[in-house]
Amino acid sequence: MHNATKALLADSLIAMLEKKTLEKITVKDLVEDCGLTRQTFYNHFYDIYALVEWIYLRETEKALAGNKDYDTWQQGFYQLLISIRKNKELVRNTCRSTNRDSLERYMYAVIYDQILAVVERQAAEMTVEQKHKNFIAHFYSLAFIALIFEWIRDGMKEKPEDIVDQTAVLIKGDFEKALKKYAK
């Protein structure tokens, strides 16, 4: 029931964002729409922004599940873009809100973990200091975040598969090349 209640609140918030901005939606609006009490909301979330973060976590985990190696990262990136587009109003509202920084930090952390997993697998047969692997993941995470936020700002017009294909051309072989340069 715990996750079902969270999902109910999430679905309500996403539906409300079609009509209102994030700042104009209250906990009262959500619980009335769901037929829940305010206390039920606060049993699950600190505030509406915590609900927003939970939605991002849920969607990102679904998009990136099982795509943590060099051969499947593109599918994970594609699914992430599809998820962002599916939740367009939530993402746009969050980007325009005072909570944008937390969205960027959250997306960075998720993408960094994903890229680091790919880098770690690529480095499995090499002796590379962790700081170098971390730097590679950091560098590419920043690039991915910039691409995603530019795509969002431009209205998500470009096809996700085109972004993934263009990114793949640039990245193909780069992790391995960088790791070989750092290898002892």
Side-chain angles (χ1 to χ4, degrees), residues 71-86:
D71 296 327
T72 62
W73 72 266
Q74 292 168 308
Q75 184 61 27
F77 187 39
Y78 173 76
Q79 291 302 324
L80 179 62
L81 294 176
I82 294 297
S83 177
I84 289 170
R85 186 181 265 171
K86 181 180 112 186

Side-chain angles (χ1 to χ4, degrees), residues 8-83:
L8 183 64
L9 289 163
D11 292 343
S12 176
L13 177 62
I14 290 167
M16 284 184 190
L17 285 168
E18 296 294 327
K19 299 175 187 127
K20 292 180 173 182
T21 64
L22 191 58
E23 274 79 20
K24 299 226 188 255
I25 297 172
T26 66
V27 171
K28 181 180 179 193
D29 295 334
L30 289 171
V31 297
E32 284 179 0
D33 185 56
C34 295
L36 300 171
T37 66
R38 288 177 64 85
Q39 188 56 51
T40 301
F41 177 90
Y42 289 113
N43 287 341
H44 297 287
F45 301 105
Y46 175 75
D47 60 12
I48 288 179
Y49 294 110
L51 171 58
V52 168
E53 286 183 26
W54 183 84
I55 294 168
Y56 284 128
L57 177 64
R58 177 184 69 171
E59 294 298 318
T60 305
E61 284 177 348
K62 280 194 286 190
L64 299 178
N67 295 304
K68 291 191 181 232
D69 63 37
Y70 194 75
D71 296 327
T72 62
W73 72 266
Q74 292 168 308
Q75 184 61 27
F77 187 39
Y78 173 76
Q79 291 302 324
L80 179 62
L81 294 176
I82 294 297
S83 177

Side-chain angles (χ1 to χ4, degrees), residues 10-181:
D11 292 343
S12 176
L13 177 62
I14 290 167
M16 284 184 190
L17 285 168
E18 296 294 327
K19 299 175 187 127
K20 292 180 173 182
T21 64
L22 191 58
E23 274 79 20
K24 299 226 188 255
I25 297 172
T26 66
V27 171
K28 181 180 179 193
D29 295 334
L30 289 171
V31 297
E32 284 179 0
D33 185 56
C34 295
L36 300 171
T37 66
R38 288 177 64 85
Q39 188 56 51
T40 301
F41 177 90
Y42 289 113
N43 287 341
H44 297 287
F45 301 105
Y46 175 75
D47 60 12
I48 288 179
Y49 294 110
L51 171 58
V52 168
E53 286 183 26
W54 183 84
I55 294 168
Y56 284 128
L57 177 64
R58 177 184 69 171
E59 294 298 318
T60 305
E61 284 177 348
K62 280 194 286 190
L64 299 178
N67 295 304
K68 291 191 181 232
D69 63 37
Y70 194 75
D71 296 327
T72 62
W73 72 266
Q74 292 168 308
Q75 184 61 27
F77 187 39
Y78 173 76
Q79 291 302 324
L80 179 62
L81 294 176
I82 294 297
S83 177
I84 289 170
R85 186 181 265 171
K86 181 180 112 186
N87 294 296
K88 185 184 276 192
E89 292 308 315
L90 174 66
V91 172
R92 283 184 179 164
N93 271 294
T94 307
C95 285
R96 289 185 214 131
S97 78
T98 56
N99 205 36
R100 180 193 164 118
D101 288 345
S102 68
L103 172 61
E104 285 184 31
R105 281 191 307 276
Y106 169 75
M107 287 184 76
Y108 172 85
V110 169
I111 290 171
Y112 177 86
D113 287 346
Q114 185 78 6
I115 292 174
L116 185 59
V118 173
V119 170
E120 292 285 359
R121 289 202 174 142
Q122 287 276 294
E125 303 296 318
M126 300 178 208
T127 305
V128 179
E129 288 183 50
Q130 191 62 46
K131 71 178 184 177
H132 298 307
K133 292 186 276 187
N134 292 348
F135 181 77
I136 293 167
H138 174 67
F139 179 84
Y140 283 100
S141 296
L142 294 174
F144 276 80
I145 294 294
L147 279 172
I148 290 168
F149 276 95
E150 181 178 289
W151 179 64
I152 292 167
R153 269 191 307 277
D154 290 345
M156 302 179 213
K157 294 174 193 148
E158 192 171 357
K159 292 183 201 170
E161 55 269 24
D162 291 345
I163 295 169
V164 172
D165 290 344
Q166 291 176 50
T167 305
V169 168
L170 295 173
I171 290 178
K172 186 170 175 76
D174 279 0
F175 290 172
E176 186 178 1
K177 186 169 73 174
L179 288 164
K180 283 180 179 178
K181 289 204 180 243

